[in-house]
Amino acid sequence: MANTSGFFTPTRGVLPSSCVNRSGFCSHEGISRRVFCSSTSESAAKVGVSESRVPRLVNRGCKLVGCGSAVPTLQVSNDDLAKIVETNDEWISARTGIRNRRVLTGKDSLTGLAAEAAKKALQMAEVDADDVDLILMCTSTPEDLFGSAPQIQKALGCRNNPLAYDITAACSGFILGLVSASCYIRGGGFKNVLVIGADSLSRYVDWTDRGTCILFGDAAGAVLVQACDTEEDGLFGFDLHSDGEGQRHLNATMKENEMDHALGSNGSVLGFPPKRSSYSCIRMNGSEVFRFAVRVVPQSIESALGKAGLTSSNIDWLLLHQANQRILDGVSTRLEVPSERVISNLANYGNTSAASIPLALDEAVRSGKVQSGHTIAAAGFGAGLTWASAIVRWQ
């Protein structure tokens, strides 16, 4: 029953056959059991089941049923970068695996890309925008300080005004969005949740710094996560972490600008009004981030697989955040996953932060590489520092 905190607890002696506990373990037994819920246990005694106004959850699972992506029209090659910074195509591709990236211009907006990716996901899933219950916009580069998700809801034309909000977790954001969607479905009775990963890191790149400007691009990707019976459950296990100590290795911190001369303080209060603020360009210690990724990502995936009762030999595809080809190779070697089962589109788009996993997934699905029933081990990692893994089944 639902307790006063709003969380669902099973009736005495009955356990739900599909659940997500705090460790990220997902049970997906095909046993028919039910979880009854009401506003309080006391009200359950006073109101009959048929009269209760609180929705009843019957062993819900969740599955990925649609995907979509969108990228800016402007493509910037390694040769293009060589015209503005001391570098060349061979140097970049050998160290990163990247050859091209897409960059937002005045003709594009991140919100527009996110809405386009979401529309494609809904179209594939054959779900109307009015049937969406929640929109999660996973981004660290919103076009509004207060979040971009409500503008996605507006662009989709959702007439029932579903909740829409941003999740900020850099390159791990999309995986956190997937896990959040599953919690809303399993614990809140939601049916259709859009999870969008979208970032425009090009706006925070120092294009004179060859250590960072060669890496990043802009894009958006989306999936529709839908409620289903437990037998069809498609999220088997997950693993989530953060370590603020590592923030010094990868960040874009707030900085104070010089106060506008016309404003002044008149000497009334020291330090007031405050100086206007903005964010610095991306600063990264590449070698430290590399060591961090190849160490924690395999551990995280192995943990998620263990919670799902699986091993790396059970997965069809390894889908990592597209940061650097050397990281992809290092993680796949550690997990003993053959290179032909590693999804990579890094060469064409570079590091697109929260968009990289759904963008790569969408291309793999639409090309026929990822097919219905395939099991995918996905992992994001990056600024925060954060890292997250999930074991999912496509459709």
Side-chain angles (χ1 to χ4, degrees), residues 158-331:
C158 305
R159 290 174 292 184
N160 61 343
N161 289 34
L163 173 65
Y165 67 89
D166 288 15
I167 293 177
T168 302
C171 306
S172 302
F174 180 75
I175 299 297
L176 301 187
L178 278 183
V179 174
S180 297
S182 74
C183 292
Y184 276 103
I185 289 172
R186 289 174 167 138
F190 288 47
K191 184 177 180 181
N192 293 302
V193 180
L194 264 174
V195 182
I196 305 167
D199 267 310
S200 53
L201 291 183
S202 67
R203 292 168 171 169
Y204 299 92
V205 165
D206 178 355
W207 291 99
T208 67
D209 175 14
R210 74 169 186 170
T212 57
C213 75
I214 63 174
L215 300 174
F216 299 103
D218 307 328
V223 299
L224 184 72
V225 185
Q226 189 173 76
C228 63
D229 294 334
T230 52
E231 305 85 56
E232 300 177 316
D233 189 26
L235 175 58
F236 302 145
F238 60 85
D239 184 69
L240 314 172
H241 297 277
S242 64
D243 178 11
E245 288 291 335
Q247 184 255 6
R248 65 187 186 277
H249 299 309
L250 178 55
N251 61 72
T253 56
M254 189 177 72
K255 63 178 182 179
E256 291 185 338
N257 300 328
E258 289 300 319
M259 185 184 300
D260 193 66
H261 294 299
L263 183 61
S265 64
N266 296 322
S268 56
V269 180
L270 184 63
F272 182 84
K275 295 180 180 180
R276 292 184 176 90
S277 298
S278 62
Y279 290 99
S280 69
C281 290
I282 297 170
R283 296 176 294 196
M284 183 178 68
N285 183 330
S287 60
E288 287 296 331
V289 172
F290 176 87
R291 281 192 285 268
F292 150 75
V294 296
R295 174 175 56 86
V296 303
V297 173
Q299 294 172 353
S300 181
I301 291 176
E302 288 173 341
S303 176
L305 284 168
K307 293 164 186 173
L310 302 172
T311 67
S312 59
S313 63
N314 298 124
I315 64 174
D316 297 294
W317 300 103
L318 179 63
L319 175 54
L320 305 180
H321 163 53
Q322 307 287 295
N324 184 304
Q325 188 61 45
R326 289 182 174 180
I327 294 178
L328 271 62
D329 294 341
V331 173

Side-chain angles (χ1 to χ4, degrees), residues 338-356:
S339 58
E340 61 268 20
R341 290 201 281 129
V342 179
I343 297 174
S344 174
N345 65 354
L346 181 71
N348 297 323
Y349 303 107
N351 181 341
T352 57
S353 191
S356 74

Side-chain angles (χ1 to χ4, degrees), residues 65-126:
V65 296
C67 59
S69 62
V71 296
T73 54
L74 177 62
Q75 177 174 283
V76 178
S77 69
N78 291 344
D79 290 332
D80 293 327
L81 287 180
K83 298 175 183 178
I84 62 174
V85 69
E86 186 179 352
T87 190
N88 58 67
D89 176 68
E90 182 181 359
W91 190 90
I92 297 172
S93 59
R95 287 162 176 78
T96 68
I98 301 169
R99 294 189 177 276
N100 296 286
R101 71 281 296 144
R102 300 297 184 96
V103 175
L104 280 169
T105 65
K107 300 178 181 179
D108 304 306
S109 72
L110 186 66
T111 302
L113 290 181
E116 181 181 348
K119 289 176 182 177
K120 291 178 180 178
L122 290 173
Q123 183 179 32
M124 179 184 289
E126 299 182 346

Side-chain angles (χ1 to χ4, degrees), residues 352-367:
T352 57
S353 191
S356 74
I357 292 176
L359 171 62
L361 174 64
D362 184 51
E363 288 196 340
V365 168
R366 293 180 186 272
S367 68

